[in-house]
Coordinates of all heavy atoms in Angstrom, one line a residue:
M20 N 8.4 -16.2 0.7 CA 8.8 -15.4 1.9 C 7.5 -14.8 2.5 O 6.7 -14.1 1.7 CB 9.8 -14.3 1.5 CG 10.2 -13.5 2.7 SD 11.5 -14.3 3.6 CE 11.4 -13.4 5.2
L21 N 7.3 -15.0 3.8 CA 6.1 -14.5 4.4 C 6.5 -13.3 5.3 O 7.3 -13.5 6.2 CB 5.5 -15.6 5.2 CG 3.9 -15.6 5.3 CD1 3.3 -15.7 3.9 CD2 3.5 -16.8 6.1
I22 N 5.9 -12.2 5.0 CA 6.2 -11.0 5.8 C 5.1 -10.7 6.8 O 4.0 -10.8 6.5 CB 6.4 -9.7 4.9 CG1 7.3 -10.0 3.7 CG2 6.8 -8.5 5.7 CD1 8.8 -10.2 4.1
K23 N 5.5 -10.5 8.0 CA 4.5 -10.2 9.1 C 4.2 -8.7 9.1 O 5.2 -7.9 9.1 CB 5.0 -10.6 10.4 CG 5.2 -12.2 10.5 CD 4.2 -12.7 11.5 CE 4.4 -14.3 11.7 NZ 3.6 -15.1 10.8
I24 N 3.0 -8.3 9.1 CA 2.6 -6.9 9.1 C 1.6 -6.7 10.3 O 0.6 -7.3 10.3 CB 1.9 -6.5 7.8 CG1 3.0 -6.6 6.7 CG2 1.4 -5.1 7.8 CD1 2.4 -7.0 5.3
K25 N 2.0 -5.8 11.1 CA 1.1 -5.5 12.3 C 0.3 -4.3 11.9 O 0.8 -3.2 11.5 CB 2.0 -5.2 13.5 CG 1.2 -5.2 14.8 CD 2.1 -5.0 16.0 CE 1.2 -5.0 17.2 NZ 2.0 -4.6 18.4
C26 N -1.0 -4.4 12.0 CA -1.9 -3.4 11.6 C -1.8 -2.2 12.6 O -2.0 -2.4 13.8 CB -3.4 -3.9 11.6 SG -4.6 -2.7 11.4
P27 N -1.5 -1.0 12.1 CA -1.4 0.1 13.0 C -2.7 0.5 13.6 O -2.7 1.3 14.6 CB -0.9 1.3 12.1 CG -0.5 0.6 10.8 CD -1.3 -0.7 10.7
K28 N -3.8 0.1 13.0 CA -5.1 0.5 13.5 C -5.6 -0.4 14.7 O -5.9 0.1 15.7 CB -6.1 0.6 12.4 CG -7.3 1.4 12.8 CD -8.4 1.3 11.7 CE -9.7 2.1 12.2 NZ -10.8 1.6 11.5
C29 N -5.6 -1.7 14.4 CA -6.2 -2.6 15.4 C -5.1 -3.5 16.1 O -5.4 -4.1 17.1 CB -7.3 -3.5 14.8 SG -6.6 -4.7 13.7
G30 N -3.9 -3.4 15.6 CA -2.8 -4.1 16.2 C -2.7 -5.6 15.9 O -1.7 -6.3 16.4
I31 N -3.6 -6.1 15.1 CA -3.5 -7.5 14.8 C -2.4 -7.8 13.7 O -2.1 -6.9 12.9 CB -4.9 -8.0 14.3 CG1 -5.1 -9.5 14.5 CG2 -5.1 -7.7 12.8 CD1 -5.6 -9.9 15.8
E32 N -1.8 -8.9 13.8 CA -0.7 -9.2 12.9 C -1.2 -10.0 11.7 O -1.9 -11.0 11.9 CB 0.4 -10.1 13.7 CG 1.7 -9.9 13.0 CD 2.8 -10.6 13.8 OE1 2.7 -11.8 14.0 OE2 3.7 -9.9 14.3
G33 N -0.9 -9.6 10.6 CA -1.2 -10.3 9.3 C 0.0 -10.7 8.6 O 1.1 -10.3 9.0
S34 N -0.1 -11.3 7.5 CA 1.1 -11.7 6.8 C 0.8 -11.5 5.3 O -0.3 -11.6 4.8 CB 1.5 -13.1 7.1 OG 0.5 -14.0 6.8
L35 N 1.9 -11.4 4.6 CA 1.9 -11.1 3.2 C 2.9 -12.0 2.5 O 4.1 -12.0 3.0 CB 2.1 -9.6 2.8 CG 1.9 -9.1 1.4 CD1 0.4 -9.0 1.1 CD2 2.6 -7.8 1.3
S36 N 2.6 -12.8 1.5 CA 3.6 -13.6 0.9 C 4.2 -12.9 -0.3 O 3.4 -12.4 -1.1 CB 3.0 -15.0 0.6 OG 2.3 -14.9 -0.6
L37 N 5.5 -12.9 -0.3 CA 6.2 -12.1 -1.4 C 7.1 -13.1 -2.2 O 7.6 -14.0 -1.6 CB 7.1 -11.1 -0.8 CG 6.4 -9.8 -0.1 CD1 7.6 -8.9 0.3 CD2 5.5 -9.1 -1.0
T38 N 7.1 -12.8 -3.5 CA 8.0 -13.5 -4.3 C 9.4 -12.8 -4.4 O 10.4 -13.4 -4.8 CB 7.4 -13.7 -5.7 OG1 7.0 -12.5 -6.2 CG2 6.3 -14.7 -5.7
E39 N 9.4 -11.5 -4.1 CA 10.6 -10.8 -4.1 C 10.9 -10.2 -2.7 O 10.0 -10.2 -1.9 CB 10.5 -9.6 -5.1 CG 10.6 -10.0 -6.6 CD 10.0 -9.0 -7.5 OE1 10.5 -7.9 -7.4 OE2 9.2 -9.4 -8.4
S40 N 12.1 -9.6 -2.5 CA 12.4 -9.1 -1.2 C 11.9 -7.7 -1.0 O 12.0 -7.2 0.1 CB 13.9 -9.1 -1.0 OG 14.5 -8.3 -1.9
G41 N 11.3 -7.1 -2.0 CA 10.7 -5.8 -1.9 C 9.3 -5.7 -2.4 O 9.0 -6.5 -3.3
Y42 N 8.5 -4.8 -1.8 CA 7.2 -4.7 -2.3 C 6.7 -3.3 -1.9 O 7.0 -2.8 -0.8 CB 6.3 -5.7 -1.7 CG 4.8 -5.5 -1.8 CD1 4.1 -5.9 -3.0 CD2 4.0 -4.9 -0.8 CE1 2.8 -5.7 -3.2 CE2 2.6 -4.7 -1.0 CZ 2.0 -5.1 -2.2 OH 0.7 -4.9 -2.3
Q43 N 5.9 -2.7 -2.8 CA 5.3 -1.4 -2.4 C 3.9 -1.4 -3.0 O 3.7 -1.6 -4.2 CB 6.1 -0.2 -3.0 CG 5.5 1.1 -2.5 CD 6.4 2.3 -2.7 OE1 7.4 2.3 -3.4 NE2 6.0 3.4 -2.0
G44 N 2.9 -1.3 -2.2 CA 1.6 -1.4 -2.7 C 0.6 -1.6 -1.5 O 0.9 -1.4 -0.4
P45 N -0.7 -1.8 -1.9 CA -1.7 -1.8 -0.9 C -1.7 -3.1 -0.1 O -1.3 -4.2 -0.5 CB -3.0 -1.8 -1.8 CG -2.7 -2.3 -3.1 CD -1.2 -2.0 -3.3
Y46 N -2.2 -3.0 1.1 CA -2.3 -4.1 2.1 C -3.6 -3.9 2.8 O -3.9 -2.8 3.3 CB -1.1 -4.1 3.0 CG -1.4 -5.0 4.2 CD1 -1.3 -6.4 4.1 CD2 -1.7 -4.5 5.5 CE1 -1.5 -7.3 5.1 CE2 -1.9 -5.4 6.6 CZ -1.8 -6.8 6.4 OH -2.1 -7.6 7.4
R47 N -4.4 -4.9 2.9 CA -5.7 -4.7 3.7 C -5.6 -5.6 4.9 O -5.3 -6.8 4.8 CB -6.9 -5.1 2.8 CG -8.2 -4.7 3.5 CD -9.4 -5.4 2.9 NE -9.7 -4.9 1.5 CZ -10.5 -3.9 1.3 NH1 -11.1 -3.3 2.2 NH2 -10.7 -3.6 0.0
C48 N -5.9 -5.0 6.0 CA -5.9 -5.8 7.3 C -7.1 -6.8 7.2 O -8.2 -6.4 6.9 CB -6.1 -4.8 8.5 SG -6.4 -5.7 10.0
W49 N -6.8 -8.0 7.5 CA -7.9 -9.1 7.5 C -8.9 -8.9 8.6 O -10.0 -9.4 8.4 CB -7.3 -10.5 7.5 CG -6.5 -10.8 8.7 CD1 -5.1 -10.6 8.9 CD2 -7.0 -11.4 10.0 NE1 -4.8 -11.0 10.2 CE2 -5.9 -11.5 10.9 CE3 -8.3 -11.8 10.4 CZ2 -6.0 -12.0 12.1 CZ3 -8.4 -12.3 11.7 CH2 -7.3 -12.4 12.5
K50 N -8.6 -8.2 9.6 CA -9.5 -8.1 10.7 C -10.4 -6.8 10.7 O -11.6 -6.9 10.6 CB -8.7 -8.1 12.1 CG -9.7 -8.2 13.2 CD -9.1 -9.0 14.4 CE -10.1 -9.4 15.4 NZ -10.1 -8.5 16.6
C51 N -9.7 -5.7 10.6 CA -10.5 -4.4 10.6 C -10.8 -3.9 9.2 O -11.5 -2.9 9.0 CB -9.9 -3.4 11.5 SG -8.3 -2.7 10.8
R52 N -10.3 -4.6 8.2 CA -10.5 -4.2 6.8 C -9.9 -2.8 6.4 O -10.3 -2.3 5.3 CB -12.0 -4.3 6.4 CG -12.7 -5.5 6.8 CD -12.2 -6.8 6.2 NE -12.5 -6.8 4.8 CZ -11.9 -7.7 3.9 NH1 -11.0 -8.5 4.4 NH2 -12.2 -7.7 2.7
E53 N -9.0 -2.3 7.2 CA -8.4 -1.0 6.9 C -7.4 -1.2 5.8 O -6.7 -2.2 5.8 CB -7.8 -0.5 8.2 CG -7.4 1.0 8.1 CD -8.6 1.9 8.2 OE1 -9.7 1.5 8.5 OE2 -8.4 3.1 8.0
L54 N -7.3 -0.2 5.0 CA -6.3 -0.3 3.9 C -5.1 0.6 4.2 O -5.1 1.6 4.8 CB -6.9 0.3 2.6 CG -7.9 -0.7 1.8 CD1 -8.7 0.1 0.9 CD2 -7.1 -1.7 1.0
F55 N -3.9 0.0 3.8 CA -2.6 0.7 4.0 C -1.8 0.6 2.7 O -1.9 -0.4 2.0 CB -1.9 0.1 5.2 CG -2.6 0.2 6.5 CD1 -3.3 -0.9 6.9 CD2 -2.6 1.4 7.2 CE1 -4.1 -0.8 8.1 CE2 -3.3 1.4 8.4 CZ -4.1 0.3 8.8
T56 N -1.0 1.6 2.5 CA 0.1 1.4 1.5 C 1.3 1.0 2.2 O 1.8 1.8 3.1 CB 0.3 2.7 0.7 OG1 -0.9 3.1 0.1 CG2 1.4 2.5 -0.3
I57 N 1.9 -0.1 2.0 CA 3.1 -0.6 2.7 C 4.3 -0.6 1.7 O 4.2 -0.8 0.5 CB 2.9 -2.0 3.3 CG1 2.5 -3.0 2.3 CG2 1.8 -1.8 4.5 CD1 2.5 -4.4 2.8
K58 N 5.4 -0.5 2.4 CA 6.7 -0.5 1.6 C 7.6 -1.6 2.3 O 7.9 -1.4 3.5 CB 7.3 0.8 1.5 CG 8.5 0.8 0.5 CD 9.0 2.2 0.4 CE 10.2 2.1 -0.6 NZ 11.4 2.9 -0.2
I59 N 8.0 -2.5 1.6 CA 8.9 -3.6 2.1 C 10.2 -3.5 1.4 O 10.2 -3.5 0.1 CB 8.2 -5.0 2.1 CG1 7.0 -5.0 3.1 CG2 9.2 -6.1 2.4 CD1 6.1 -6.1 2.8
D60 N 11.2 -3.6 2.1 CA 12.6 -3.5 1.5 C 13.4 -4.6 2.2 O 13.4 -4.6 3.5 CB 13.2 -2.1 1.7 CG 14.1 -1.8 0.6 OD1 14.3 -2.6 -0.3 OD2 14.8 -0.7 0.7
N61 N 14.1 -5.4 1.5 CA 14.9 -6.5 2.1 C 14.1 -7.3 3.2 O 14.6 -7.6 4.2 CB 16.1 -5.9 2.8 CG 17.3 -5.7 1.8 OD1 17.4 -6.6 1.0 ND2 18.0 -4.6 1.9
N62 N 12.9 -7.6 2.8 CA 12.0 -8.4 3.7 C 11.6 -7.7 5.0 O 11.3 -8.4 6.0 CB 12.6 -9.8 4.0 CG 12.8 -10.6 2.7 OD1 11.9 -10.6 1.8 ND2 13.9 -11.2 2.6
E63 N 11.8 -6.4 5.1 CA 11.5 -5.7 6.3 C 10.4 -4.6 6.0 O 10.6 -3.9 4.9 CB 12.7 -5.0 6.8 CG 13.2 -5.5 8.1 CD 14.4 -4.8 8.6 OE1 14.3 -3.6 9.0 OE2 15.5 -5.4 8.5
L64 N 9.5 -4.5 6.8 CA 8.5 -3.4 6.6 C 9.1 -2.1 6.9 O 9.5 -1.8 8.0 CB 7.3 -3.7 7.6 CG 6.1 -2.8 7.3 CD1 5.4 -2.9 6.0 CD2 5.1 -3.0 8.5
K65 N 9.1 -1.2 5.9 CA 9.7 0.1 6.1 C 8.7 1.2 6.3 O 9.0 2.1 7.1 CB 10.5 0.5 4.8 CG 11.7 -0.5 4.5 CD 12.8 -0.2 5.4 CE 14.0 -1.2 5.1 NZ 14.9 -1.3 6.2
S66 N 7.6 1.1 5.7 CA 6.6 2.2 6.0 C 5.2 1.6 5.8 O 5.0 0.6 5.0 CB 6.8 3.4 5.1 OG 6.3 3.2 3.8
C67 N 4.2 2.2 6.5 CA 2.8 1.8 6.4 C 2.0 3.0 6.6 O 1.9 3.6 7.6 CB 2.6 0.8 7.6 SG 1.0 0.0 7.5
E68 N 1.4 3.4 5.5 CA 0.6 4.6 5.5 C -0.9 4.3 5.2 O -1.2 3.5 4.4 CB 1.1 5.6 4.3 CG 2.5 5.9 4.3 CD 2.8 7.0 5.4 OE1 1.9 7.8 5.7 OE2 3.9 7.0 5.9
P69 N -1.7 5.0 5.9 CA -3.2 4.8 5.7 C -3.5 5.1 4.2 O -3.0 6.0 3.6 CB -3.9 5.7 6.6 CG -2.9 6.3 7.5 CD -1.5 6.1 6.9
L70 N -4.5 4.3 3.7 CA -4.9 4.4 2.3 C -6.4 4.5 2.3 O -7.1 3.6 2.9 CB -4.3 3.2 1.5 CG -4.7 3.1 0.0 CD1 -4.1 4.1 -0.8 CD2 -4.3 1.7 -0.5
S71 N -6.9 5.4 1.6 CA -8.4 5.5 1.5 C -8.9 4.6 0.4 O -8.2 4.2 -0.5 CB -8.8 7.0 1.2 OG -8.5 7.3 -0.1
Q72 N -10.2 4.2 0.6 CA -10.8 3.3 -0.4 C -10.7 3.9 -1.8 O -10.5 3.2 -2.8 CB -12.3 3.1 0.0 CG -13.0 2.1 -0.9 CD -12.5 0.6 -0.7 OE1 -12.2 0.2 0.4 NE2 -12.5 -0.1 -1.8
E73 N -10.9 5.2 -1.9 CA -10.9 5.9 -3.2 C -9.5 5.8 -3.8 O -9.4 5.5 -5.0 CB -11.2 7.4 -2.9 CG -11.8 8.2 -4.1 CD -12.1 9.6 -3.7 OE1 -13.0 9.7 -2.8 OE2 -11.4 10.5 -4.1
E74 N -8.5 6.0 -3.0 CA -7.1 5.9 -3.5 C -6.8 4.5 -4.0 O -6.1 4.3 -5.0 CB -6.1 6.3 -2.5 CG -5.7 7.8 -2.6 CD -4.8 8.2 -1.4 OE1 -5.3 8.6 -0.4 OE2 -3.6 8.0 -1.6
F75 N -7.3 3.6 -3.2 CA -7.0 2.2 -3.4 C -7.6 1.8 -4.8 O -7.0 1.1 -5.6 CB -7.6 1.3 -2.3 CG -7.6 -0.2 -2.6 CD1 -6.4 -0.8 -2.6 CD2 -8.7 -0.9 -2.8 CE1 -6.3 -2.2 -2.8 CE2 -8.7 -2.3 -3.1 CZ -7.5 -2.9 -3.1
E76 N -8.9 2.2 -5.0 CA -9.5 1.9 -6.3 C -8.8 2.5 -7.5 O -8.7 1.9 -8.6 CB -11.0 2.4 -6.3 CG -11.8 1.3 -5.6 CD -13.2 1.9 -5.2 OE1 -13.6 2.9 -5.7 OE2 -13.8 1.2 -4.3
K77 N -8.3 3.8 -7.3 CA -7.5 4.4 -8.3 C -6.3 3.6 -8.7 O -5.9 3.4 -9.8 CB -7.1 5.8 -7.8 CG -7.3 6.9 -8.8 CD -6.8 8.3 -8.3 CE -7.9 9.0 -7.5 NZ -7.4 10.2 -6.9
Q78 N -5.6 3.1 -7.6 CA -4.4 2.3 -7.8 C -4.7 1.0 -8.6 O -4.0 0.6 -9.4 CB -3.8 2.0 -6.5 CG -3.0 3.1 -5.9 CD -2.2 2.7 -4.7 OE1 -2.0 1.5 -4.4 NE2 -1.7 3.6 -3.9
Q79 N -5.9 0.4 -8.2 CA -6.3 -0.8 -8.9 C -6.5 -0.6 -10.3 O -6.2 -1.4 -11.2 CB -7.5 -1.4 -8.2 CG -7.4 -1.8 -6.8 CD -6.5 -3.0 -6.6 OE1 -5.3 -2.9 -6.4 NE2 -7.0 -4.2 -6.7
E80 N -7.1 0.6 -10.7 CA -7.4 0.9 -12.0 C -6.1 1.1 -12.8 O -6.0 0.6 -14.0 CB -8.2 2.3 -12.1 CG -9.7 2.1 -12.0 CD -10.4 3.4 -11.9 OE1 -10.0 4.4 -12.5 OE2 -11.4 3.4 -11.1
I81 N -5.2 1.7 -12.2 CA -3.8 1.9 -12.9 C -3.2 0.5 -13.1 O -2.7 0.3 -14.2 CB -2.9 2.8 -12.0 CG1 -3.5 4.2 -12.0 CG2 -1.5 2.8 -12.5 CD1 -2.9 5.2 -10.9
E82 N -3.2 -0.3 -12.1 CA -2.7 -1.7 -12.3 C -3.4 -2.4 -13.4 O -2.7 -3.1 -14.2 CB -2.8 -2.5 -11.0 CG -1.8 -1.9 -9.9 CD -0.4 -1.9 -10.3 OE1 0.1 -3.0 -10.9 OE2 0.3 -0.9 -10.2
A83 N -4.7 -2.3 -13.5 CA -5.5 -3.0 -14.5 C -5.1 -2.5 -15.9 O -4.9 -3.3 -16.8 CB -7.0 -2.8 -14.2
L84 N -4.9 -1.2 -16.0 CA -4.5 -0.6 -17.3 C -3.1 -1.1 -17.7 O -2.9 -1.4 -18.8 CB -4.5 0.9 -17.1 CG -5.8 1.7 -17.4 CD1 -5.6 3.1 -17.2 CD2 -6.3 1.4 -18.8
K85 N -2.2 -1.1 -16.7 CA -0.9 -1.6 -16.9 C -0.9 -3.0 -17.5 O -0.2 -3.4 -18.5 CB 0.0 -1.6 -15.7 CG 0.7 -0.2 -15.4 CD 1.7 -0.4 -14.3 CE 1.9 0.8 -13.5 NZ 2.5 0.6 -12.2
A86 N -1.7 -3.9 -16.8 CA -1.8 -5.3 -17.3 C -2.3 -5.3 -18.7 O -1.9 -6.2 -19.5 CB -2.7 -6.0 -16.3
K87 N -3.3 -4.5 -19.0 CA -3.9 -4.5 -20.3 C -2.8 -4.2 -21.4 O -2.8 -4.8 -22.4 CB -5.0 -3.4 -20.3 CG -6.3 -3.9 -21.0 CD -7.3 -2.8 -21.1 CE -8.4 -3.0 -20.0 NZ -9.4 -1.9 -20.1
F88 N -2.0 -3.2 -21.1 CA -1.0 -2.8 -22.1 C 0.1 -3.8 -22.2 O 0.6 -4.0 -23.3 CB -0.4 -1.4 -21.6 CG -1.2 -0.2 -22.0 CD1 -1.7 0.6 -21.0 CD2 -1.6 0.0 -23.3 CE1 -2.5 1.7 -21.3 CE2 -2.4 1.0 -23.7 CZ -2.9 1.9 -22.7
K89 N 0.3 -4.5 -21.1 CA 1.4 -5.6 -21.2 C 0.9 -6.7 -22.1 O 1.8 -7.3 -22.9 CB 1.6 -6.1 -19.8 CG 2.9 -5.7 -19.2 CD 3.1 -6.3 -17.8 CE 3.6 -5.3 -16.8 NZ 3.5 -5.8 -15.4
Q90 N -0.4 -7.0 -22.1 CA -0.9 -8.1 -22.9 C -0.8 -7.8 -24.4 O -0.6 -8.7 -25.2 CB -2.3 -8.4 -22.5 CG -2.4 -9.3 -21.2 CD -3.8 -9.3 -20.6 OE1 -4.8 -8.8 -21.2 NE2 -3.9 -9.8 -19.4
S91 N -1.1 -6.5 -24.8 CA -1.2 -6.2 -26.2 C 0.1 -6.0 -26.8 O 1.1 -5.9 -26.2 CB -2.1 -5.0 -26.4 OG -1.6 -3.9 -25.6
Ligands
ZN30 ZN1 -6.5 -3.9 11.5

């Protein structure tokens, strides 16, 4: 499933491929490189909040840690 996401900053449309009908996490605009936290429910974009680089990295760290714990 390909979800269309319109960047609130530059207005360009990007897409995100999903394996499930819901998603909550970071999205980066391919054009202006701005980061957002998006929420998709039932293949529909429900919210799009600006995300700072710092916050993004924090989230990535958390995800990396989660993956580590899953493996062991
Ligand atoms: Zn953009």
